[in-house]
Amino acid sequence: MKYCILFILLSTLFPSCVKYVDLEHLRPEPKLVLNSVVQTGYPLTATVTRTWFYTDNNPNVTIKDAKVSLYVNGQYLEDMLWSGDISEYNSIGYYCSGYIPSEGDKVRLEVRKEGFKEVSAECELPVKPELLKVEIVSERSNDDLYGSSYNYRTICKTTFKDDPKEGDCYLVRVARGSPEREYDFEKEEWGYPGTYSWREISVDYVYEPVFKDKITILDELFGNADWLSGYNGRPFSDELINGMEYSLKLGIGHSDYPSSQSPDTDSDNTPPSYMKVYLYTLSKAYYQYLMALAELDDHSVNNDLMDAGLAEPVRVTSNIIGGSGILGAASVDTITVEIPYGL
């Protein structure tokens, strides 16, 4: 009974109130969103969508009837065509062109759609990087991974030559190719047809100085300095390595023994697996855009403070005039190496 009386007294002292906030007066005019990555040697594609307001509940914002004009080296080339297939940008439908970009090309896209402000962007194709060699090596490690101690850390050592020009921007990513198995019903056994399936590797970039400079003292203090992620690759600049021949150390796993002592053959005659390293040179705007995404994905103290409203948010760069999105440019070089058995 006394608790009921106390509740009634508190209800009179602290009356509840509900305030309904109408957000519609904050709704901005929608803008076109242009996203495209121009890559040397690959057909040009682009997606066009629009911005949407918070209360719209994830609407379909794909725009199919825009006019997307392509200019190369200052000359009009064509209007890009609409395709309803799913694009590499995970959008339903995209605009495509028969144009194959080359190093040094200056590409400009202009997008017009009735009811929207015209948007445009331009970029220049960077020079292809000079990837020299890739090695699978091992380093002694005292790390404890998932409760098991390993003696060696497996490193993908990637050597390349940086151009003496300052301000070069890169991205590196790694994929693993594993042999596919196929069941032979006549022999009633599993075999290998010679085909491979490839998947991205979640690399640990924390061992490499060109990435580690993004770790702050606070991250080290609070234990956030033991992992730098990047499932789809991680960007970096030539700030520390300008004009040098340099070897990136990319952490790809752990082992009980060094790669030089791994067994030469597998007991069930499994074909070898392979590692493929992709090294991209990036346009400056695309590099800044990817760096912002990488910072947002990191488990950092700044991100924790940002989530709590105690730090400035990471600003994602856009080079689209009149709208939003990114027009990036990239050139790529690759090397594929065999992975020692057991790694």
Side-chain angles (χ1 to χ4, degrees):
M1 182 67 178
K2 63 181 180 180
Y3 290 112
C4 291
I5 295 173
L6 179 61
F7 177 77
I8 294 172
L9 290 173
L10 290 175
S11 298
T12 60
L13 292 174
F14 304 103
S16 63
C17 61
V18 177
K19 183 178 182 180
Y20 293 95
V21 180
D22 184 8
L23 298 177
E24 287 305 308
H25 72 284
L26 300 175
R27 180 186 291 270
E29 288 294 324
K31 296 181 179 180
L32 291 176
V33 180
L34 170 64
N35 284 304
S36 177
V37 178
V38 189
Q39 186 171 330
T40 303
Y42 293 86
L44 175 62
T45 62
T47 63
V48 179
T49 57
R50 62 167 177 85
T51 57
W52 54 276
F53 196 48
Y54 177 77
T55 59
D56 289 345
N57 194 24
N58 296 315
N60 179 11
V61 294
T62 303
I63 294 178
K64 306 177 181 180
D65 56 350
K67 182 179 181 182
V68 184
S69 300
L70 170 62
Y71 296 80
V72 178
N73 298 324
Q75 300 294 320
Y76 169 78
L77 185 62
E78 62 183 358
D79 285 346
M80 298 176 66
L81 301 177
W82 169 257
S83 172
D85 296 333
I86 296 177
S87 78
E88 58 184 316
Y89 311 113
N90 297 319
S91 67
I92 303 175
Y94 60 95
Y95 293 85
C96 58
S97 168
Y99 158 67
I100 306 295
S102 300
E103 291 181 11
D105 281 355
K106 294 181 180 179
V107 175
R108 178 179 177 84
L109 293 178
E110 296 181 355
V111 182
R112 298 174 181 85
K113 163 66 178 170
E114 185 178 353
F116 292 87
K117 182 180 179 181
E118 177 184 333
V119 302
S120 64
E122 58 186 2
C123 64
E124 182 174 345
L125 273 295
V127 176
K128 180 180 176 180
E130 189 177 355
L131 194 53
L132 301 178
K133 62 179 178 180
V134 172
E135 303 169 276
I136 308 297
V137 299
S138 299
E139 294 182 350
R140 283 198 169 274
S141 170
N142 295 319
D143 294 348
D144 186 79
L145 187 65
Y146 305 118
S148 301
S149 297
Y150 290 87
N151 296 321
Y152 295 91
R153 179 186 300 119
T154 305
I155 300 292
C156 182
K157 188 176 179 182
T158 302
T159 305
F160 71 102
K161 181 72 171 66
D162 177 63
D163 193 286
K165 181 185 65 175
E166 293 184 3
D168 291 316
C169 304
Y170 298 96
L171 180 137
V172 63
R173 67 182 183 93
V174 182
R176 181 182 181 121
S178 302
E180 295 182 337
R181 292 204 311 165
E182 186 177 85
Y183 190 75
D184 190 327
F185 289 94
E186 292 184 358
K187 297 182 179 180
E188 297 185 345
E189 61 181 22
W190 288 93
Y192 298 93
T195 57
Y196 278 75
S197 60
W198 290 87
R199 61 178 178 84
E200 296 283 335
I201 292 180
S202 184
V203 175
D204 186 359
Y205 297 92
V206 76
Y207 313 116
E208 175 49 54
V210 300
F211 304 111
K212 199 172 183 179
D213 64 342
K214 302 302 178 184
I215 298 177
T216 66
I217 296 176
L218 286 177
D219 289 320
E220 295 180 352
L221 182 64
F222 286 95
N224 292 336
D226 57 352
W227 176 266
L228 272 180
S229 62
Y231 180 76
N232 291 313
R234 192 172 180 96
F236 64 98
S237 71
D238 67 349
E239 182 179 356
L240 301 178
I241 58 174
N242 184 52
M244 298 170 54
E245 180 178 308
Y246 188 79
S247 295
L248 296 169
K249 295 167 61 177
L250 310 176
I252 56 173
H254 294 72
S255 178
D256 292 324
Y257 45 80
S259 56
S260 60
Q261 296 179 11
S262 60
D264 294 330
T265 59
D266 196 24
S267 57
D268 63 353
N269 296 318
T270 304
S273 294
Y274 292 93
M275 192 81 68
K276 179 179 286 188
V277 175
Y278 300 79
L279 181 66
Y280 298 82
T281 46
L282 309 175
S283 60
K284 187 65 175 292
Y286 192 35
Y287 165 75
Q288 293 171 340
Y289 174 82
L290 292 175
M291 276 302 303
L293 297 185
E295 290 176 16
L296 286 171
D297 193 49
D298 288 338
H299 300 293
S300 66
V301 172
N302 184 73
N303 281 356
D304 293 337
L305 294 174
M306 184 177 65
D307 291 339
L310 300 175
E312 287 291 324
V314 175
R315 299 188 180 278
V316 180
T317 301
S318 173
N319 63 344
I320 308 300
I321 300 173
S324 187
I326 189 69
L327 176 60
S331 295
V332 63
D333 194 11
T334 65
I335 289 183
T336 303
V337 296
E338 184 176 322
I339 302 174
Y341 281 106
L343 297 183

